[in-house]
Amino acid sequence: MTNFSQKINDEEKHIKDYIMKAFENPFIKDRMSELKKYDKCTFYHSINVTVESLRIALNDPGFNAGDFENLTVSALLHDIGKTKIPVDLLKQKEDFTKKEFSELKKHAEYGAAIIEESKLFDKGVSDAVLMHHENFNNTGYYKISHEKISKYAYIIRIADTFDAMTSNRPYHN
């Protein structure tokens, strides 16, 4: 096996291990089960975003074991707040009205609140969920200054965007 192939195999093993470890937590297991029942598309999207987020982070020498655990939880739960949004809004095929988009954007706040209320995770996890639609140029849902955006949120933002561009959604192929 080439060094490249071995690196890929090692990455895949680490990714699987982090995700499996996260699912040992009853809170995560329950929230992800709830998400899957609520909207399978969002559930699988969350898994995809987690895999891609970990792929990115595995190439960051500054990440430690705690960072990987926090990133895994943040990525898995980044859209958990969508369970507080009407499911018909999530599955809508036509353009959103301003009011509908405003409601949809609240999923980040709802998700951060769900995580904070659990009192199970580092503040960085809820921050990443809140900020996963922020951009480096101070644009995004809440226009948070780039200096304040969580490093986990940046990674999730990239992975989220990648998955959105490479997956079929109700509103686009």
Side-chain angles (χ1 to χ4, degrees), residues 4-106:
F4 178 74
S5 296
Q6 185 60 49
K7 183 178 184 334
I8 296 296
N9 287 339
D10 290 347
E11 283 183 358
E12 295 301 318
K13 181 186 179 323
H14 289 305
I15 290 167
K16 181 180 175 186
D17 289 347
Y18 281 115
I19 293 172
M20 296 304 290
K21 183 177 182 202
F23 270 87
E24 290 173 6
N25 180 309
F27 178 84
I28 294 170
K29 188 176 182 180
D30 290 348
R31 294 299 75 71
M32 292 302 289
S33 178
E34 176 185 352
L35 186 60
K36 188 174 184 182
K37 287 177 190 165
Y38 184 74
D39 182 46
K40 284 183 183 177
C41 181
T42 304
F43 170 82
Y44 289 114
H45 165 71
S46 295
I47 299 293
N48 292 343
V49 168
T50 304
V51 169
E52 294 306 325
S53 293
L54 288 168
R55 277 197 181 117
I56 293 166
L58 283 167
N59 291 290
D60 183 339
F63 260 62
N64 60 42
D67 287 327
F68 283 110
E69 290 173 15
N70 285 338
L71 177 63
T72 303
V73 173
S74 301
L76 282 170
L77 299 177
H78 81 280
D79 275 345
I80 195 63
K82 286 185 177 180
T83 61
K84 304 294 183 195
I85 305 289
V87 73
D88 56 324
L89 184 61
L90 293 182
K91 296 180 183 283
Q92 183 170 304
K93 294 183 182 188
E94 56 274 350
D95 290 341
F96 297 115
T97 64
K98 192 174 184 177
K99 183 179 179 184
E100 289 168 334
F101 188 61
S102 179
E103 179 62 25
L104 186 62
K105 289 189 328 184
K106 290 179 184 176

Side-chain angles (χ1 to χ4, degrees), residues 106-120:
K106 290 179 184 176
H107 81 275
E109 291 175 55
Y110 296 153
I114 290 167
I115 291 164
E116 287 175 9
E117 287 169 12
S118 78
K119 299 185 185 334
L120 295 172

